[in-house]
Amino acid sequence: MSVRYAPVGWNRNKIFYDVVLLAAVVAFILLYIKIAPGFQDVTRPTSGAILRAQAFGTCAFLMLTFILCIGPLARLDTRFLPLLYNRRHFGVITCAVAFTHASTIVSIYYSFSPLNKYVAVLASNTSYDRFLGFPFETFGIFALFLLLVLAATSHDFWLRFLTPPIWKAIHVSIYVAYAAIVCHIVLGSLQSKQSPLLAAVVGLSVIAVAGLHLVAGRIERQKDRDTAESASESAAEAPWVVAGQVDDIADGRGIVVALEDGERVAVFRYGDRLSALANVCAHQSGPLGEGRIVDGYVTCPWHGFQYRPSDGCSPPPFTEKAATYRLKLDGRRILLDPRPNEPGTHVEPVRITPASETEA
């Protein structure tokens, strides 16, 4: 096996992220168990075991909804970017909560079945030929299976072993898992309880996920059109294209330039220098241009992978590399050579002349 397993590199941010997330999960479950009985219209009080199962199930669904919202939220507002750094930790904890829900349900409803309780989950209802009474358990089992696969392959070892394209294709199935959970709830709890509150929560969650993705996608397409139009206003000599204005880039931040061939380039400003890298992170294809400069390195907003702005190389012992691009200034206007260099090629950063000197 050519890929070695490396333990998770814990740091203060990861620990803080997980502690806050676990505290929120515990708080939600305790609050649900305390408040939920007041919203249930039943003649016989719901048992504590069932309440706990409902609490874990509701929590898992809301956590998965929020996971799918983090991406578009970060594109709409950079203040959400820190939530992306350890999103895989969020997913693993969500899987654990969902597994607890499933285990509790099986123990409550199938422990006294004449069949093995796990076999009974699938054998107790086989009415696949109708909508009302459809075996909603199937969707829940399928969704849990996908979440377990995603959690088990979340470590970077699997990313390198499977290769990024395959790993990414597997982890896009989180959307399939979400759709399966929605079907599980609609065909199960919503049919049996007819709860307006639960229906509202599920409906608003689906609208939030779909709406945020549509809005973020529309804004992204508009940015691409704007940068493409700007790039078409090329400098006097080919092949340089206009990437933007120096004053439009905050120190320690970058802008993303869409080229005519569909490629994207991230142009970063750090102090009095400018450098350009391919916008795609070599780790998991994250958008480098939405990250920032941390300790002198371009830091991907997804998982914190870093690259030197001048040559696109990751600091040792990491070996990831990003393609670099040449830049030059025309007054306050940034010109970009759209031809990429080989990943890891050093390109001397462009020095920014103070605006007062440029005007003079």
Side-chain angles (χ1 to χ4, degrees), residues 3-351:
V3 181
R4 297 176 116 189
Y5 179 86
V8 175
W10 292 96
N11 56 44
R12 182 184 299 176
N13 288 335
K14 288 182 179 180
I15 294 173
F16 178 76
Y17 191 103
D18 288 355
V19 168
V20 171
L21 184 54
L22 287 170
V25 169
V26 172
F28 177 88
I29 291 172
L30 293 177
L31 193 63
Y32 184 98
I33 293 173
K34 182 176 180 61
I35 294 177
F39 290 90
Q40 295 180 349
D41 184 16
V42 292
T43 57
R44 184 177 179 181
T46 303
S47 69
I50 294 177
L51 272 177
R52 288 192 294 274
Q54 292 175 349
F56 278 103
T58 305
C59 185
F61 174 69
L62 293 177
M63 290 175 72
L64 188 57
T65 298
F66 190 70
I67 287 173
L68 295 182
C69 290
I70 291 175
L73 282 173
R75 292 181 180 275
L76 296 172
D77 191 329
T78 56
R79 288 174 293 183
F80 287 97
L81 284 174
L83 295 175
L84 278 170
Y85 294 157
N86 299 299
R87 185 169 54 173
R88 282 185 286 181
H89 290 221
F90 204 144
V92 171
I93 294 175
T94 300
C95 177
V97 173
F99 185 82
T100 303
H101 162 74
S103 300
T104 306
I105 287 293
V106 170
S107 297
I108 294 172
Y109 291 102
Y110 299 99
S111 289
F112 298 102
S113 170
L115 299 173
N116 177 282
K117 60 183 179 181
Y118 298 107
V119 175
V121 174
L122 294 173
S124 60
N125 184 2
T126 58
S127 303
Y128 291 96
D129 57 343
R130 59 183 182 181
F131 179 76
L132 294 177
F134 187 91
F136 66 94
E137 298 91 348
T138 306
F139 289 106
I141 294 170
F142 179 61
L144 181 60
F145 169 76
L146 291 179
L147 291 179
L148 288 170
V149 170
L150 299 184
T153 59
S154 63
H155 194 277
D156 280 343
F157 166 81
W158 293 104
L159 174 66
R160 293 187 175 92
F161 180 72
L162 296 173
T163 71
I166 295 177
W167 189 91
K168 187 68 174 179
I170 292 173
H171 280 251
V172 167
S173 64
I174 190 171
Y175 291 95
V176 180
Y178 182 74
I181 290 176
V182 171
C183 291
H184 175 70
I185 296 172
V186 170
L187 296 174
S189 297
L190 287 184
Q191 282 196 19
S192 61
K193 297 178 183 177
Q194 299 179 346
S195 169
L197 181 59
L198 180 60
V201 170
V202 174
L204 289 174
S205 298
V206 172
I207 291 171
V209 172
L212 284 171
H213 278 78
L214 289 173
V215 171
R218 182 175 181 180
I219 292 176
E220 198 72 14
R221 285 193 298 273
Q222 185 59 49
K223 286 181 180 178
D224 286 349
R225 285 194 291 267
D226 293 342
T227 52
E229 291 173 2
S230 175
S232 65
E233 301 172 2
S234 56
E237 64 276 20
W240 298 92
V241 297
V242 177
Q245 298 289 326
V246 170
D247 301 320
D248 292 338
I249 309 178
D251 188 20
R253 293 287 185 176
I255 59 172
V256 178
V257 181
L259 303 178
E260 291 184 352
D261 60 1
E263 292 295 324
R264 292 183 176 186
V265 179
V267 180
F268 283 90
R269 177 178 182 174
Y270 47 112
D272 63 345
R273 291 170 291 176
L274 293 170
S275 290
L277 303 174
N279 188 51
V280 179
C281 177
H283 169 236
Q284 195 193 329
S285 301
L288 289 181
E290 296 178 14
R292 57 192 177 95
I293 302 291
V294 178
D295 298 329
Y297 290 92
V298 173
T299 303
C300 180
W302 281 14
H303 304 108
F305 268 65
Q306 295 186 307
Y307 305 85
R308 277 193 296 269
S310 59
D311 60 12
C313 294
S314 295
F318 302 101
T319 58
E320 282 78 11
K321 298 178 182 179
T324 57
Y325 290 79
R326 293 193 302 147
L327 295 173
K328 70 177 183 179
L329 289 178
D330 177 22
R332 306 300 290 173
R333 190 167 60 165
I334 304 169
L335 302 181
L336 167 72
D337 183 346
R339 299 168 298 185
N341 299 303
E342 286 294 320
T345 301
H346 177 81
V347 175
E348 191 65 25
V350 171
R351 295 284 176 175

